[in-house]
Amino acid sequence: MLGKIALEEHFATDETIDQASQAVPAAHWPELRDRLADLHEGRLRQMDENGIELAILSLITPGVQGITDTALAIDVARRANDFLAEQVAKRPDRFQGFAALPMQDPDEAARELERCVHALGFRGAMVNGFSETGSTSALLYYDLEQYLPFWATVQDLGVPFYLHPRNPLPQHAKIYDGHPWLLGPTWAFGQETAVHALRLMGSGLFDRYPALQIILGHLGEGLPFSLWRIDNRLAWLKEPPQHRGRQKIAHYVQNNFHLTTSGQLHTPSLVQAMLEIGSDRILFSTDWPFENMNHAADWFDSAGISELDRAKIGRRNAITLFKLKDVLGGDG
Ligand code: GRE
Ligand code: ZN
């Protein structure tokens, strides 16, 4: 399929690139480093070869979320966003941007998102899970009370918020001791992110701000498979503790979430996600450079779904969600 749009496509700045060196065995690092640092030639060649017209770019994980010094997190986010805006400006027909946000300070995060949307033309935010701060050992999950004004800003701006994975901190990851193969994209990324998403849903956030739209990668980090069981248990057990949302968990997933196909190139999983939340809320993505664009594109282009669903998931849903008509030529 030509004209695909992809939205879990990462880059790194000089300041953040070393974070990714842990992500792959040493032998792969030079290749990964080149891929992350290349925002034009190699990337555009890959996109051309794989029928990807537009990529919405985002900083690597944990990125700004892993910076414990809040003032530094604010600075790094700002610099990364300015750098990305300059890169996008060279080829706005091929690249758009997601804001990196210093969630360590909710007011600054809201201000930075406003700046990124209004002054830099970004299409939303990508945040890599919980944030760390130096002042407390507490991890900041975004269902906490202090984030309500931030979420009000996100809703007012009308842009999506991509909740991207990160690993749990070692001191909170005892369950993985002796099994480092379970960290990262094999398992821990999804587990961490699914729980964070459930915390948002169970906090009542989407009753208060019903227009919020959250994006999850990897076909929903396992949530589509688990929705029925979560709601069934909550209904079967009439007693507290219940979550604070007024609706079933499935309702929030179906009304406040979008899923991407990043790193989950498996047709039965895609069909299952389509059955749970519908093809209007699923979007193609590749997770470059941690996955290969040709793997994602070859699978998606020949997956056994209808051509109408392929057009929606590959392109149309992104145009609607990110209001991309202005940057795309032709049919938009
Ligand atoms: C990702 O973005 O999904 C990712 C990383 C680092 C390692 C593996 C991976 O950011 O899939
Ligand atoms: Zn990713």
Side-chain angles (χ1 to χ4, degrees):
M1 174 188 168
L2 294 176
K4 290 190 288 296
I5 298 170
L7 45 139
E8 193 179 320
E9 318 304 315
H10 305 297
F11 75 99
T13 58
D14 290 345
E15 273 183 310
T16 56
I17 198 160
D18 288 336
Q19 288 184 353
S21 62
Q22 312 296 324
V24 291
H28 293 265
W29 175 233
E31 162 76 13
L32 183 63
R33 197 174 203 292
D34 285 351
R35 288 182 177 194
L36 277 168
D38 174 3
L39 275 110
H40 288 276
E41 271 167 51
R43 206 177 275 254
L44 280 171
R45 194 176 333 114
Q46 285 281 332
M47 289 165 64
D48 289 343
E49 284 170 12
N50 291 294
I52 299 171
E53 181 174 343
L54 185 81
I56 306 182
L57 302 176
S58 52
L59 197 60
I60 50 165
T61 189
V64 176
Q65 273 55 68
I67 300 173
T68 54
D69 174 341
T70 298
L72 182 62
I74 293 166
D75 269 1
V76 170
R78 221 177 263 150
R79 281 196 293 272
N81 291 329
D82 286 343
F83 171 79
L84 179 56
E86 284 166 23
Q87 303 306 312
V88 166
K90 295 178 191 164
R91 286 307 298 271
D93 56 327
R94 306 301 303 276
F95 296 117
Q96 291 288 309
F98 275 127
L101 296 181
M103 297 295 284
Q104 290 84 344
D105 180 332
D107 291 342
E108 284 292 337
R111 262 199 293 279
E112 181 62 4
L113 181 58
E114 268 171 351
R115 185 182 81 92
C116 286
V117 171
H118 287 146
L120 306 182
F122 284 5
R123 301 290 157 169
M126 182 177 288
V127 167
N128 297 306
F130 64 85
S131 285
E132 295 168 65
T133 52
S135 55
T136 66
S137 59
L139 305 183
L140 298 171
Y141 286 92
Y142 311 131
D143 56 293
L144 299 173
E145 191 83 14
Q146 65 258 38
Y147 287 99
L148 287 175
F150 168 81
W151 289 118
T153 300
V154 178
Q155 177 170 278
D156 287 350
L157 289 169
V159 294
F161 178 101
Y162 203 130
L163 184 65
H164 183 275
R166 65 172 295 173
N167 268 321
L169 297 182
Q171 61 269 36
H172 300 126
K174 292 276 174 269
I175 195 171
Y176 301 118
D177 279 358
H179 293 270
W181 60 278
L182 286 168
L183 288 166
T186 47
W187 188 259
F189 270 11
Q191 195 269 347
E192 173 69 38
T193 312
V195 173
H196 198 164
L198 288 166
R199 288 178 62 130
L200 297 180
M201 292 182 244
S203 72
L205 178 66
F206 303 110
D207 301 312
R208 197 184 275 245
Y209 304 121
L212 282 179
Q213 297 299 323
I214 310 293
I215 306 172
L216 295 175
H218 317 106
L219 282 175
E221 314 291 4
L223 283 175
F225 186 80
S226 301
L227 285 182
W228 184 88
R229 179 161 164 79
I230 294 168
D231 282 326
N232 185 58
R233 284 306 300 180
L234 291 170
W236 190 84
L237 291 166
K238 300 277 183 249
E239 299 302 314
Q242 295 283 11
H243 64 73
R244 297 195 298 280
R246 283 204 288 273
Q247 308 283 348
K248 291 185 172 190
I249 293 297
H251 174 93
Y252 298 123
V253 173
Q254 290 160 357
N255 289 277
N256 300 97
F257 281 77
H258 291 76
L259 316 180
T260 75
T261 62
S262 60
Q264 186 66 285
L265 315 176
H266 187 51
T267 305
S269 301
L270 172 62
V271 170
Q272 207 262 331
M274 289 163 73
L275 290 170
E276 287 293 344
I277 85 162
S279 58
D280 292 343
R281 287 181 171 271
I282 302 177
L283 301 94
F284 174 77
S285 290
T286 81
D287 218 348
W288 178 265
F290 302 102
E291 305 281 347
N292 285 355
M293 280 190 216
N294 63 324
H295 294 173
D298 291 350
W299 163 72
F300 180 73
D301 291 355
S302 62
I305 56 175
S306 75
E307 292 310 317
L308 177 59
D309 283 333
R310 202 181 326 277
K312 286 183 183 180
I313 295 169
R315 179 176 173 89
R316 283 196 213 164
N317 294 343
I319 293 175
T320 309
L321 185 61
F322 298 105
K323 306 183 177 78
L324 291 170
K325 277 213 161 84
D326 57 326
V327 293
L328 297 169
D331 68 330

